Amino acid sequence: MSKPFSQACANNQTIILDVLIPIFEYKKYALEVGSGTGQHGVFFARNMPHLSWQLSDRAQNHAGINLWVDDFPSPNLLPPILLDVLQDPWPISAYDAVYSSNTAHIMPWEAVVAMFSGIGKSLLSGGIFCLYGPMKYMGVLEAQSNVAFDTMLRQQNPCQGIREFWNINRLATQAGLELMQDNAMPANNRLIVWQKN
Ligand SMILES: C[S@@+](CC[C@H](N)C(=O)[O-])C[C@H]1O[C@@H](n2cnc3c(N)ncnc32)[C@H](O)[C@@H]1O
């Protein structure tokens, strides 16, 4: 098997890191939900050595993630654990940081609901959740690239699609998370930050 590669991750990892560094400065244990190829986790762990970075995903992505871990090991990078957000309870708890990118528009809505519920239970008080990806505001996708992406996603799978920010933020509120930041990112993405009360 060759190592999986995401060009998007290669493009966005530095600019995401710039936002994460001050937010995660005093955090110790981060969980990544839906690590995908593993590229983000490998890069963020190397560049935030004070933070233990726990990779996770469904089973089908573990072999690829492990190839990245093997090639770029860090003492603070923890091999992937099996985490499907729909499982209840989650196999882990007590993180003070959670990161997830490009997951909310890929998972069916019931899984997005489960992701926020699980994060609400797994985060310590004062812990931070950062969610990266495209977002819709008041039913509107301003960028034509996001309109096309949303159409493609829904044609591919009607359960997928770019989510409405206020629906996402409602899930966060229900999970005990308070909105701290909504950062505009390149390529019409957002990096949204919540803190557990
Ligand atoms: C588009 S990929 C994004 C991967 C990576 N975070 C990135 O930014 O490139 C979507 C990820 O969501 C994960 N995912 C989808 N449904 C999931 C579920 N029910 N539980 C956990 N992860 C899930 C997939 O396995 C995949 O890793």
Side-chain angles (χ1 to χ4, degrees), residues 13-27 43-51 53 99 130 181 191 193:
Q13 60 189 14
T14 302
I15 191 99
I16 295 175
L17 177 69
D18 288 344
V19 178
L20 296 185
I21 282 176
I23 293 169
F24 286 169
E25 185 176 4
Y26 298 109
K27 301 303 177 199
F43 183 75
F44 296 150
R46 289 202 140 201
N47 286 284
M48 292 184 280
H50 66 285
L51 191 62
W53 193 274
Y99 169 81
C130 293
Q181 298 178 13
L191 206 169
V193 182

Side-chain angles (χ1 to χ4, degrees), residues 19-117:
V19 178
L20 296 185
I21 282 176
I23 293 169
F24 286 169
E25 185 176 4
Y26 298 109
K27 301 303 177 199
K28 290 193 172 75
Y29 304 104
L31 168 69
E32 180 178 4
V33 176
S35 295
T37 62
Q39 283 166 262
H40 272 169
V42 162
F43 183 75
F44 296 150
R46 289 202 140 201
N47 286 284
M48 292 184 280
H50 66 285
L51 191 62
S52 289
W53 193 274
Q54 178 63 68
L55 297 155
S56 86
D57 210 318
R58 297 178 297 175
Q60 59 262 40
N61 287 336
H62 282 213
I65 295 171
N66 280 321
L67 292 175
W68 277 91
V69 175
D70 291 347
D71 280 1
F72 299 97
S74 299
N76 59 325
L77 179 63
L78 305 174
I81 53 169
L82 195 58
L83 175 60
D84 184 320
V85 295
L86 288 165
Q87 58 192 102
D88 188 25
W90 284 15
I92 49 204
S93 60
Y95 291 93
D96 57 7
V98 177
Y99 169 81
S100 193
S101 65
N102 294 315
T103 45
H105 57 276
I106 297 296
M107 296 174 179
W109 182 248
E110 66 180 277
V112 180
V113 172
M115 175 165 72
F116 274 89
S117 169

Side-chain angles (χ1 to χ4, degrees), residues 109 112-113 115-117 119-120 129 131 165-180 192-197:
W109 182 248
V112 180
V113 172
M115 175 165 72
F116 274 89
S117 169
I119 288 169
F129 174 39
L131 179 68
F165 169 82
W166 293 106
N167 291 337
I168 290 282
N169 193 52
R170 194 179 65 245
L171 296 182
T173 304
Q174 288 164 356
L177 307 175
E178 184 185 351
L179 182 64
M180 304 297 289
I192 307 170
V193 182
W194 291 273
Q195 184 165 39
K196 185 164 172 183
N197 297 323

